[in-house]
Amino acid sequence: MTDNEVVIKTDGLSLWYGKNQALKNVSLCICQRKVTAIIGPSGCGKSTFLKVLNRMVDLVPNVKTNGKVVYHGKNIFDDDINLVNLRTRVGMVFQKPNPFPKSIYENVAFGPRIHRKPKKDELNEIVERSLRQASLWDEVKDRLNDPGLSLSGGQQQRLCIARTLANDPEVILMDEPTSALDPSATLRIEDLVRELREKYHIVIVTHNMQQAGRVSDDTCFFLNGELVEADKTKTIFTNPRDSRTEDYISGRFG
Amino acid sequence: MVERQQFQKMLDQIQQDIIKMGGLVEESIDNAIESLKKQDLELAKETIQIDKKIDQLELTIEDACIQLIATQQPAARDLRKISSSFKIIHNLERMGDYAQSIANTTLTIGNDPLIKPLIDLPRMTLIVQKMVRNSLEAFIQDNEALAKQVGETDDEVDQLHNQIFNELLLLMIKNPATINQATHLLFISRALERIADHATDIAERVIYTLHGIHANLN
């Protein structure tokens, strides 16, 4: 892997919630145009790791970090980092679809309107492009003024993805994005993730190992706050190096 | 550590069935050569019947493997064990076919006097049977050393086959009247040699199951 291919690099990253250490010395590279899956049992630190990458974790009280997260050559913990910019470039999609209590159009238009103050035509374009990229446009184009919350769960999640895309991110973090969805909505999102990979770098946390197998190029296995193994997904699922990884993906614990 | 009981039970059943299939194959090889040695045509016919059981068992195990993959999403070594099972039952089925073909040859030779006393073929049979048994034992017990031993034994079988070939060739040159039966005996030697190759394939699957690498033990 060359440095050119690395988008985010964590170096000796540790994190504590109060006295409780949630991440232990994690050094990991997130690569360009790839889907990186983070797997591991509950409490292993995978969601925490994801939330560090755009400093979402700052919102939790009593958090302390050590080590570096380097994005575009800069440690995101540096004092002069612009958090709004960081979170715009490193967008996030959450476990439960959480559209704003606004219209479909307004949900997508919300971010760009604040950040870029575009003209009406331009905003319309951004909304349409984002909804198209999120594979939702055809289903909602005739009812853009309906409330976002009137959509089905799977559509709401795609709306949230469109909302993230509208901010023109570079990296998309997904925290168990399909755990609240039914199987067909799940597969739809998985297809979407594969499509988005052409333009964005994606990190996805999932409880569903088969999902990691289906959507990701690289897989990282976390256990008790440590990164146990990171490799190509194919290798992790067919011939992992570490016996703890083997036990986890074979469903023998977790 | 939580064991996946249902999954393990299904996987154990597959392995039990593979052992059973291997047992039938061994019996079939044994009967085929015994029937030839003793010119026991009834035993030859029985051998042909065993092949039907072997074929049936192959389908049963294949279905069980498919079910396990579809319902339990195995990964890593579990997955390799199942994918190897798929291959191994095919190897066993082919061995069964070779044993059946030996039995058919016995029927063809019928009660014609044998052109020579059979010494090397039964010797080869004992080695081949042991290879079949050891390859399956290595698979069930994840025994790498035993698997490698099977690969080494294959050389002995190849040598015996060449020896039999030369011997029968000489016999045919000396006495063309033996050509018909000698050719049949050559086919039998060839069938045993092929069975040994299939046992070596099984031994190679043991290495694959354990390490995920495709080894060449031959």
Side-chain angles (χ1 to χ4, degrees), chain B:
Chain B
M1 189 183 296
V2 184
E3 284 295 332
R4 297 176 65 187
Q5 287 184 359
Q6 177 65 12
F7 174 76
Q8 203 54 54
K9 215 168 124 186
M10 289 166 84
L11 193 57
D12 287 348
Q13 184 59 49
I14 287 173
Q15 302 204 57
Q16 285 303 318
D17 283 346
I18 288 177
I19 294 174
K20 197 168 150 192
M21 197 174 166
L24 286 173
V25 168
E26 259 191 78
E27 186 186 342
S28 177
I29 299 167
D30 198 39
N31 285 356
I33 295 297
E34 273 302 299
S35 68
L36 174 72
K37 230 165 54 178
K38 297 180 180 157
Q39 296 195 287
D40 182 342
L41 304 189
E42 281 311 308
L43 189 60
K45 284 177 193 160
E46 273 174 39
T47 307
I48 292 163
Q49 289 307 313
I50 296 178
D51 194 52
K52 290 188 178 132
K53 285 193 207 164
I54 293 172
D55 290 352
Q56 189 51 52
L57 209 46
E58 184 197 15
L59 299 179
T60 306
I61 299 170
E62 187 180 332
D63 286 347
C65 289
I66 290 279
Q67 195 192 340
L68 208 54
I69 291 171
T71 59
Q72 299 281 338
Q73 289 87 40
R77 194 192 281 195
D78 290 334
L79 181 58
R80 297 201 299 273
K81 189 111 202 171
I82 297 167
S83 87
S84 293
S85 299
F86 263 123
K87 293 261 190 183
I88 286 172
I89 55 174
H90 181 67
N91 289 125
L92 290 171
E93 188 271 334
R94 295 298 300 145
M95 292 182 191
D97 286 349
Y98 282 118
Q100 186 189 14
S101 133
I102 296 173
N104 278 327
T105 308
T106 302
L107 292 176
T108 308
I109 294 173
N111 291 318
D112 291 350
L114 292 175
I115 54 173
K116 67 182 277 301
L118 299 183
I119 297 161
D120 284 338
L121 278 178
R123 231 175 94 201
M124 197 171 165
T125 306
L126 284 179
I127 300 172
V128 168
Q129 280 179 308
K130 196 171 170 195
M131 283 176 75
V132 175
R133 198 161 47 241
N134 284 350
S135 67
L136 288 177
E137 207 170 300
F139 179 64
I140 301 296
Q141 297 170 354
D142 293 331
N143 186 336
E144 187 174 354
L146 192 57
K148 286 181 174 160
Q149 198 183 312
V150 171
E152 285 158 17
T153 316
D154 192 44
D155 294 340
E156 282 180 48
V157 174
D158 289 344
Q159 276 170 15
L160 268 173
H161 175 58
N162 288 337
Q163 194 177 309
I164 291 168
F165 177 84
N166 289 333
E167 202 182 332
L168 288 171
L169 202 60
L170 279 177
L171 216 58
M172 287 189 265
I173 292 167
K174 270 192 211 156
N175 180 6
T178 61
I179 288 179
N180 190 22
Q181 199 186 99
T183 311
H184 283 311
L185 293 177
L186 256 183
F187 278 130
I188 290 172
S189 174
R190 169 76 178 153
L192 288 171
E193 187 266 333
R194 290 297 299 140
I195 291 173
D197 285 346
H198 281 287
T200 309
D201 281 355
I202 293 178
E204 286 170 355
R205 298 310 296 185
V206 176
I207 308 294
Y208 175 74
T209 304
L210 287 172
H211 305 298
I213 49 169
H214 297 282
N216 185 359
L217 296 181
N218 201 342

Side-chain angles (χ1 to χ4, degrees), chain A:
Chain A
M1 193 186 312
T2 70
D3 278 353
N4 294 340
E5 290 170 336
V6 176
V7 181
I8 299 179
K9 185 176 178 183
T10 74
D11 193 1
L13 177 67
S14 294
L15 181 143
W16 292 261
Y17 291 121
K19 286 182 180 169
N20 199 1
Q21 186 167 9
L23 291 177
K24 297 171 187 162
N25 200 20
V26 176
S27 296
L28 178 63
C29 292
I30 305 293
C31 292
Q32 274 187 1
R33 307 273 182 268
K34 282 198 171 157
V35 178
T36 304
I38 314 272
I39 60 168
S42 296
C44 70
K46 56 189 189 299
S47 286
T48 296
F49 178 78
L50 198 72
K51 284 177 197 148
V52 173
L53 299 182
N54 68 352
R55 286 189 52 185
M56 216 52 149
V57 79
D58 288 12
L59 305 173
V60 182
N62 291 326
V63 164
K64 200 178 77 187
T65 52
N66 200 355
K68 282 186 192 169
V69 176
V70 180
Y71 175 54
H72 284 294
K74 200 162 169 53
N75 184 4
I76 65 166
F77 295 122
D78 284 355
D79 290 339
D80 61 343
I81 203 90
N82 180 331
L83 276 185
V84 174
N85 270 351
L86 174 69
R87 290 176 190 155
T88 307
R89 298 300 284 156
V90 184
M92 193 151 191
V93 176
F94 298 88
Q95 191 170 355
K96 266 192 172 172
N98 54 357
F100 301 135
K102 290 173 177 288
S103 70
I104 295 168
Y105 183 96
E106 285 304 321
N107 260 282
V108 184
F110 193 85
R113 190 176 272 146
I114 292 174
H115 298 308
R116 284 181 269 163
K117 303 188 175 55
K119 288 184 186 142
K120 182 78 184 147
D121 285 357
E122 198 191 334
L123 190 60
N124 286 346
E125 249 175 59
I126 293 172
V127 170
E128 179 174 341
R129 190 186 62 227
S130 306
L131 285 168
R132 278 189 190 282
Q133 281 186 314
S135 303
L136 190 59
W137 175 253
D138 288 340
E139 291 159 62
V140 300
K141 63 183 176 197
D142 300 324
R143 49 179 176 133
L144 292 174
N145 292 320
D146 285 5
L149 289 161
S150 67
L151 298 172
S152 72
Q155 287 172 326
Q156 286 186 25
Q157 193 61 308
R158 279 180 279 143
L159 179 62
C160 294
I161 292 172
R163 186 175 64 188
T164 303
L165 298 177
N167 290 324
D168 196 22
E170 186 184 27
V171 182
I172 303 173
L173 310 175
M174 295 182 163
D175 191 2
E176 296 183 43
T178 63
S179 62
L181 304 182
D182 69 22
S184 80
T186 296
L187 292 175
R188 193 89 203 257
I189 299 276
E190 288 179 5
D191 280 345
L192 178 58
V193 170
R194 294 303 296 174
E195 279 169 34
L196 293 175
R197 163 184 179 271
E198 304 291 321
K199 273 193 76 179
Y200 306 92
H201 326 306
I202 298 170
V203 187
I204 182 168
V205 161
T206 177
H207 258 304
N208 180 334
M209 280 177 291
Q210 280 66 46
Q211 177 167 75
R214 287 191 294 263
V215 304
S216 70
D217 303 289
D218 296 332
T219 295
C220 312
F221 172 57
F222 277 65
L223 185 64
N224 300 327
E226 283 175 51
L227 171 66
V228 172
E229 188 167 353
D231 212 324
K232 291 199 182 318
T233 298
K234 182 182 159 233
T235 307
I236 293 282
F237 279 84
T238 57
N239 200 8
R241 274 173 289 136
D242 195 292
S243 62
R244 292 168 294 176
T245 315
E246 168 111 27
D247 287 339
Y248 182 70
I249 57 140
S250 306
R252 293 204 154 78
F253 74 82

